[in-house]
Amino acid sequence: MTHLPAFNKLGSCSFAVEGLIKQGSAHHGSGSWVFAATVASDADAILKLNRAPTEVVYDVASAIGGSAEKDIAHRDVTPNNFGHSMGRGYLFDFSAGKDMASNGWRRPRSVNSLSGIIGTVLWAPLAVLEGEQHSESNMLEGLFISSLSISCNGKLAGRHAMRPSQLKHCARLRRGQLTRLELDEFPNIAPHLKPLILPLHDLFYPKALPQGFPLKARTYNTEVTTQMVQELCKM
């Protein structure tokens, strides 16, 4: 693992993660390892959990929040960039990490530009696809989208249409899918993961019921905190 300035700023915890990866306890490979699935590849992943996924999500959310407290934005929370060791979650690969201390959290991005969208658009948070700067909330949303992907064996709805050359289309597709009352992926989510995935969906995309109107869609919450995700994982 390269010792990048943003990674080194995290202190001793970063070296603990690096050690886990070197000894093979935390895995760089298939994101399915996050939930302790015994699989050969993402393509044939069938989730059979033998460890509690809430602990892993809790720990990775804590890592996102802890990094943000030190003004480090990971910016690439995807299934391939977090893993587990002995039932605990670890966030790694800070190659796209950025020190945001010099007002970077508020610096605008270029709308409809790939600038600032790190990694694969398939797991990019809606706010980032729509041109917002990376934040603690949307990096946590990246954790939700990644967990959703893992829970349905990588079969995210519309995944083949998420092309980096068509960011406006990607943003519209993501907003349309995640603001629906029921996820298109619902039938494919592993049953034992629904108690985790569905509340996460509600957290980032709460159901809205304006007075006098029937419930037809969800709103979008861009103010999710690490503590909110931690509390959800404890339920």
Side-chain angles (χ1 to χ4, degrees), residues 6-109:
F7 185 72
N8 289 337
K9 188 176 179 180
L10 298 179
S12 59
C13 60
S14 63
F15 297 102
V17 174
E18 183 176 12
L20 286 166
I21 293 171
K22 283 183 176 179
Q23 71 185 23
S25 297
H27 302 273
H28 268 303
S30 166
S32 302
W33 281 104
V34 174
F35 293 141
T38 304
V39 297
S41 67
D42 284 339
D44 62 1
I46 299 175
L47 298 181
K48 296 179 180 178
L49 301 191
N50 51 28
R51 295 186 179 90
T54 51
E55 276 84 349
V56 176
V57 171
Y58 181 101
D59 289 339
V60 176
S62 300
I64 293 169
S67 299
E69 285 180 0
K70 296 187 177 184
D71 285 317
I72 299 300
H74 184 279
R75 303 198 305 167
D76 193 16
V77 181
T78 70
N80 292 327
N81 289 340
F82 58 101
H84 75 81
S85 178
M86 300 179 68
R88 302 307 302 269
Y90 295 88
L91 177 66
F92 42 78
D93 192 354
F94 278 77
S95 59
K98 185 176 182 179
D99 191 336
M100 310 288 274
S102 300
N103 209 30
W105 296 109
R106 298 183 181 182
R107 188 176 299 132
R109 284 184 41 241

Side-chain angles (χ1 to χ4, degrees), residues 152-166:
C152 64
N153 196 18
K155 297 177 181 177
L156 284 178
R159 61 192 180 280
H160 300 301
M162 298 288 283
R163 299 187 179 95
S165 60
Q166 300 176 342

Side-chain angles (χ1 to χ4, degrees), residues 1-225:
M1 181 179 296
T2 304
H3 292 287
L4 301 171
F7 185 72
N8 289 337
K9 188 176 179 180
L10 298 179
S12 59
C13 60
S14 63
F15 297 102
V17 174
E18 183 176 12
L20 286 166
I21 293 171
K22 283 183 176 179
Q23 71 185 23
S25 297
H27 302 273
H28 268 303
S30 166
S32 302
W33 281 104
V34 174
F35 293 141
T38 304
V39 297
S41 67
D42 284 339
D44 62 1
I46 299 175
L47 298 181
K48 296 179 180 178
L49 301 191
N50 51 28
R51 295 186 179 90
T54 51
E55 276 84 349
V56 176
V57 171
Y58 181 101
D59 289 339
V60 176
S62 300
I64 293 169
S67 299
E69 285 180 0
K70 296 187 177 184
D71 285 317
I72 299 300
H74 184 279
R75 303 198 305 167
D76 193 16
V77 181
T78 70
N80 292 327
N81 289 340
F82 58 101
H84 75 81
S85 178
M86 300 179 68
R88 302 307 302 269
Y90 295 88
L91 177 66
F92 42 78
D93 192 354
F94 278 77
S95 59
K98 185 176 182 179
D99 191 336
M100 310 288 274
S102 300
N103 209 30
W105 296 109
R106 298 183 181 182
R107 188 176 299 132
R109 284 184 41 241
S110 300
V111 180
N112 303 322
S113 168
L114 280 173
S115 174
I117 294 183
I118 310 299
T120 309
V121 296
L122 178 60
W123 299 296
L126 174 58
V128 173
L129 288 175
E130 293 183 334
E132 297 296 323
Q133 185 56 267
H134 290 269
S135 69
E136 178 182 352
S137 181
N138 62 45
M139 286 185 288
L140 291 167
E141 184 188 348
L143 175 59
F144 156 61
I145 294 171
S146 296
S147 300
L148 172 62
S149 177
I150 292 168
S151 74
C152 64
N153 196 18
K155 297 177 181 177
L156 284 178
R159 61 192 180 280
H160 300 301
M162 298 288 283
R163 299 187 179 95
S165 60
Q166 300 176 342
L167 289 184
K168 283 185 176 181
H169 175 69
C170 290
R172 286 195 299 268
L173 188 64
R174 173 127 299 154
R175 179 174 285 277
Q177 290 169 339
L178 294 181
T179 56
R180 290 174 187 163
L181 293 181
E182 182 173 291
L183 291 165
D184 289 340
E185 296 86 355
F186 182 82
N188 296 320
I189 298 174
H192 45 302
L193 288 180
K194 286 180 179 178
L196 172 64
I197 299 300
L198 299 185
L200 282 172
H201 185 213
D202 290 339
L203 182 61
F204 290 95
Y205 294 87
K207 295 177 181 178
L209 186 60
Q211 188 173 3
F213 291 88
L215 182 60
K216 293 182 178 180
R218 295 170 179 264
T219 58
Y220 182 34
N221 183 7
T222 58
E223 301 294 331
V224 174
T225 66

